[in-house]
Amino acid sequence: MNSIASGTVLLTGPTGGLGRAAALAMARRPAPQRPDLLLVGRPGDALTDVTEETRAAGATAHEIGCDLGRLADVRSAAEAARGLLTAGSVRPLRGLVANAGLGVGDVHQASEDGYELTFAVNYLAHAQLIGDLLDAFDPPARIVLLGSNTYHQNIFRRILHVPPARWTDPIELARPTASDVPSTLERCGIAYSNSKLALLYYAHELQRRVDVDNPGVSVTVFEPGFMPGTGLSRAHGPGMQRVGRIIERIPGVSSPARSGPALASVVLDDRWAHLRGGAFVVKDQEREVKSFAHDPSREARLWQATAELLDSARR
């Protein structure tokens, strides 16, 4: 049994798509390679169903209801996870997968705390959850964040009109777009790409911080590859999702069925034990990120601004 699989893995967004596939891939492993699971997602039948399915596969699993658009919910989810760990209901915390993600169709939308919804769910909620549980990890442990190559543009994404990130101060990124500014698909795409660049910056700074207090915790960013037809395309309507499901059949295009086991591998397998510092894994290969995605000054500012935004939400 490897060291990660001998403990517990917390996974956000387990009710569909990549998250569900990853949860089931971990649950279906042979017993010595199977971790306990804490499944954090929006409460309802879908969360209960995936929890029961992982249990049927042999895993010890607990559901934790949480709306990631409400930071109070996120704090409560961390408390619930800590309670299960303290009570011995699950084994020690060895992994956390920040999988849940959102691509909104209207950048005027705000979270319950007043933050732009994409940035709030994709980035701030996970920063809150990880921060609240950081001292609960029993090393060796792994934190895996869900990244996306949309943070930069290549020819393929240019043809598809997928905009890259346009970084600005994180306090500005957290503000919903003003009501008198149209919410276009381009602005929605930029918001999504900004949230993914934020996760890269956060991963680098988080590793610096945990190296001081808990050096047995490693931080990695996983990019599942172009995965059309999943919940992220909801904002573009059912037509786009149908097209996405057709594109999924093309060889080389990612799907939850292919990427779920790959994500489970990055979380659990000894093959990836050397990764740290926000190492970027695309499908099943480690890749270098663009030079601008390593920026200590931006990373330090993001850490500071994140603390301000999370603290403000408590008031």
Side-chain angles (χ1 to χ4, degrees):
M1 179 188 298
N2 73 35
S3 56
I4 307 301
S6 66
T8 293
V9 173
L10 183 152
L11 171 74
T12 67
T15 58
L18 177 62
R20 184 177 184 277
L24 292 174
M26 288 189 275
R28 289 169 178 163
R29 288 188 165 214
Q33 303 171 34
R34 183 194 304 137
D36 295 343
L37 296 171
L38 298 177
L39 303 177
V40 178
R42 190 180 291 274
D45 291 343
L47 181 59
T48 298
D49 288 347
V50 72
T51 304
E52 291 178 350
E53 195 167 353
T54 57
R55 288 173 180 162
T60 295
H62 296 266
E63 64 177 272
I64 300 176
C66 174
D67 179 353
L68 293 175
R70 296 184 71 250
L71 289 170
D73 258 28
V74 178
R75 293 191 292 271
S76 294
E79 290 177 6
R82 192 180 289 274
L84 289 165
L85 291 161
T86 301
S89 301
V90 290
R91 290 174 287 174
L93 183 63
R94 296 272 167 76
L96 188 151
V97 188
N99 163 75
L102 181 70
V104 303
D106 184 355
V107 287
H108 299 132
Q109 289 186 65
S111 70
E112 289 288 328
D113 305 286
Y115 301 134
E116 192 279 316
L117 193 57
T118 314
F119 191 76
V121 171
N122 294 1
Y123 172 66
L124 283 175
H126 288 116
Q128 178 77 70
L129 183 65
I130 292 166
D132 285 351
L133 289 174
L134 206 50
D135 65 350
F137 283 99
D138 185 9
R142 298 179 193 174
I143 295 171
V144 181
L145 310 173
L146 259 291
S148 172
N149 266 324
T150 63
Y151 78 91
H152 73 95
Q153 194 168 65
N154 60 11
I155 293 174
F156 177 69
R157 285 187 287 278
R158 187 177 296 116
I159 291 171
L160 291 178
H161 303 289
V162 178
R166 294 182 187 172
W167 192 256
T168 186
D169 189 81
I171 300 297
E172 292 297 321
L173 295 178
R175 290 196 181 107
T177 299
S179 58
D180 60 344
V181 177
S183 178
T184 62
L185 282 178
E186 181 183 25
R187 287 195 175 94
C188 294
I190 290 169
Y192 179 79
S193 298
N194 280 337
S195 73
K196 293 302 180 177
L197 181 55
L199 286 168
L200 282 172
Y201 287 148
Y202 172 74
H204 302 150
E205 187 66 19
L206 176 62
Q207 188 71 75
R208 294 187 192 105
R209 304 279 175 155
V210 298
D211 280 347
V212 175
D213 299 320
N214 203 345
V217 178
S218 64
V219 185
T220 304
V221 181
F222 174 75
E223 151 69 288
F226 178 53
M227 195 162 53
T230 64
L232 284 175
S233 61
R234 282 192 302 264
H236 304 298
M240 180 64 76
Q241 288 184 286
R242 284 194 294 270
V243 170
R245 285 190 286 272
I246 293 170
I247 295 174
E248 276 182 357
R249 300 170 190 167
I250 299 172
V253 175
S254 298
S255 68
R258 300 184 194 108
S259 299
L263 174 54
S265 176
V266 170
V267 178
L268 297 176
D269 288 344
D270 290 338
R271 172 190 174 186
W272 306 105
H274 67 286
L275 296 180
R276 61 188 300 103
F280 193 58
V281 176
V282 179
K283 297 185 180 179
D284 65 350
Q285 298 292 326
E286 188 178 357
R287 302 282 178 82
E288 289 294 324
V289 296
K290 298 298 182 182
S291 58
F292 69 84
H294 279 285
D295 189 322
S297 63
R298 284 184 174 182
E299 290 156 9
R301 171 56 188 154
L302 176 64
W303 191 272
Q304 177 190 44
T306 300
E308 294 171 10
L309 291 165
L310 296 181
D311 181 63
S312 179
R314 290 179 180 272
R315 297 172 189 165

